[in-house]
Amino acid sequence: MCQNSRPITSGEPKILQRDQSQANKAQADQSFDGLAQKFAQNIYGTGKGRIRAAVVWQDLLTCLAQLPQRPLRILDAGGGFGFFSQQLAALGHQVVLCDLSADMLDEAARQLAEQGLSDRVRLIHCAIQDLPAQLEGEFDLILCHAVLEWLSAPRDTLLSLLGFLAPEGILSLMFYNRQALLFQSLVVGNFDYIRAGLVKQRKQKLTPSNPQEPEAVYGWLTDAGMTLLGKTGVRVIHDYMRHKTDQVTKFDDLLAMEQRYCRQEPFVSLGRYVHVMARRPTAAAWPPSAATQNNTDNQSSTKRA
């Protein structure tokens, strides 16, 4: 098993490797090895990616304003090539970026070196579930973006991640919205897909396999003692436009409207992704009581049954 690394001080970021036992634990979860360039282009090299970047960054700036005004310790869990890690490091914060894909971290190392940010970002090649063996201490801000929908046990993984959050720290959690997927399928008349439980017959590598119910995710957080600070829909208009060419020819107006309506209902709940921000209470109020946790476990078991 890898030992915790020393802070990186110069050169390209060193990537901590995980051993085979760690790989076996996360074998059911999605890795994007071999797809790093395609992933980067599809996610952030398109109009829908520009919307995602603009809307989420606006939220992150709001989060930063509510945290101590000093260099923060930030964890980007399952952060791929570190799109937001790079921006946060450029603001002077110290970031730990972990991902299941070695290819994604190689791309992160390359981009960080190009920007001269290698000394501010530590890269760890491991699943989120394996972080306790790799990390110590707490973080002021934790990012977990577009990860839950690729996991076989999203709730358990999320709860384990909360253990790294410092008192009064903030979680930035974005997930693929099952309700939005259902609504779009209804609008386009994809009724067979709906009858099949929104499960595709053939899996597509860049299509999430486990979209999440927003109310369930909110419940996981509140039952864990977290205080919800805000909810934002990501792509509340783009995916529903009747004429797809308008996504390009009217992009500036589209982006402005996305930013205008993304934090209002019913639009939040129609976002292809939902970005929820939550704060951990003070140390005196953490962790939640055993009774609360047992209630959460019982509810989860009932839902699975």
Side-chain angles (χ1 to χ4, degrees):
M1 183 176 296
C2 299
Q3 299 297 316
N4 291 333
S5 72
R6 296 184 298 273
I8 300 166
T9 55
S10 62
E12 292 190 1
K14 297 177 182 178
I15 303 175
L16 286 181
Q17 301 294 328
R18 62 192 182 123
D19 62 23
Q20 188 59 43
S21 65
Q22 292 174 319
N24 292 337
K25 293 178 186 177
Q27 61 184 350
D29 297 334
Q30 177 72 44
S31 169
F32 294 100
D33 277 336
L35 297 170
Q37 292 296 330
K38 183 177 181 180
F39 185 91
Q41 176 60 32
N42 283 12
I43 300 302
Y44 291 109
T46 61
K48 64 183 181 181
R50 290 172 60 191
I51 292 170
R52 171 169 163 172
V55 168
V56 175
W57 183 244
Q58 203 169 41
D59 281 347
L60 288 176
L61 291 177
T62 299
C63 291
L64 292 176
Q66 299 180 56
L67 290 167
Q69 299 305 295
R70 55 167 171 75
L72 301 173
R73 192 169 189 236
I74 298 173
L75 172 61
D76 192 355
F81 64 93
F83 182 85
F84 289 114
S85 287
Q86 296 176 43
Q87 297 182 63
L88 291 165
L91 294 179
H93 303 296
Q94 291 293 323
V95 182
V96 174
L97 167 63
C98 86
D99 200 85
L100 189 59
S101 168
D103 288 352
M104 284 290 189
L105 294 179
D106 287 342
E107 179 63 19
R110 184 188 67 79
Q111 294 188 20
L112 288 164
E114 285 182 353
Q115 299 177 69
L117 296 172
S118 300
D119 61 333
R120 294 182 186 169
V121 181
R122 173 186 171 194
L123 306 178
I124 302 179
H125 179 212
C126 77
I128 294 173
Q129 300 94 319
D130 298 324
L131 279 174
Q134 307 292 341
L135 285 177
E136 295 179 354
E138 297 174 325
F139 293 84
D140 303 294
L141 175 64
I142 295 179
L143 280 58
C144 185
H145 293 171
V147 173
L148 295 187
E149 58 269 20
W150 299 103
L151 301 178
S152 57
R155 173 184 170 274
D156 293 343
T157 302
L158 175 61
L159 295 181
S160 71
L161 194 57
L162 295 181
F164 287 105
L165 196 58
E168 300 191 62
I170 294 177
L171 171 72
S172 164
L173 177 69
M174 183 173 71
F175 57 89
Y176 195 61
N177 180 6
R178 193 177 193 280
Q179 290 301 311
L181 180 61
L182 172 60
F183 182 73
Q184 186 184 44
S185 299
L186 288 167
V187 169
V188 301
N190 199 350
F191 302 132
D192 288 339
Y193 179 46
I194 295 170
R195 293 188 188 100
L198 302 178
V199 176
K200 292 184 178 295
Q201 293 183 349
R202 290 189 301 175
K203 289 186 177 181
Q204 298 175 321
K205 289 187 177 180
L206 293 181
T207 300
S209 57
N210 190 16
Q212 299 297 302
E213 292 282 358
E215 290 302 323
V217 176
Y218 304 153
W220 298 342
L221 293 172
T222 55
D223 287 343
M226 301 286 288
T227 299
L228 302 187
L229 300 177
K231 306 168 186 173
T232 300
V234 180
R235 287 171 27 213
V236 301
I237 303 168
H238 175 279
D239 293 26
Y240 306 111
M241 296 184 78
R242 179 175 299 178
H243 304 294
K244 299 304 181 183
T245 55
D246 289 346
Q247 295 172 347
V248 178
T249 60
K250 298 181 179 180
F251 181 79
D252 289 342
D253 285 337
L254 171 60
L255 177 59
M257 291 297 173
E258 290 273 1
Q259 291 177 308
R260 177 175 177 178
Y261 291 106
C262 65
R263 297 173 185 89
Q264 303 176 33
E265 289 290 5
F267 306 105
V268 173
S269 297
L270 293 176
R272 179 50 59 99
Y273 289 82
V274 173
H275 182 217
V276 57
M277 293 138 283
R279 186 188 293 276
R280 176 184 159 174
T282 60
W286 186 272
S289 68
T292 299
Q293 189 60 50
N294 289 337
N295 183 54
T296 302
D297 293 339
N298 291 337
Q299 289 177 351
S300 178
S301 298
T302 300
K303 290 177 181 177
R304 285 196 296 268

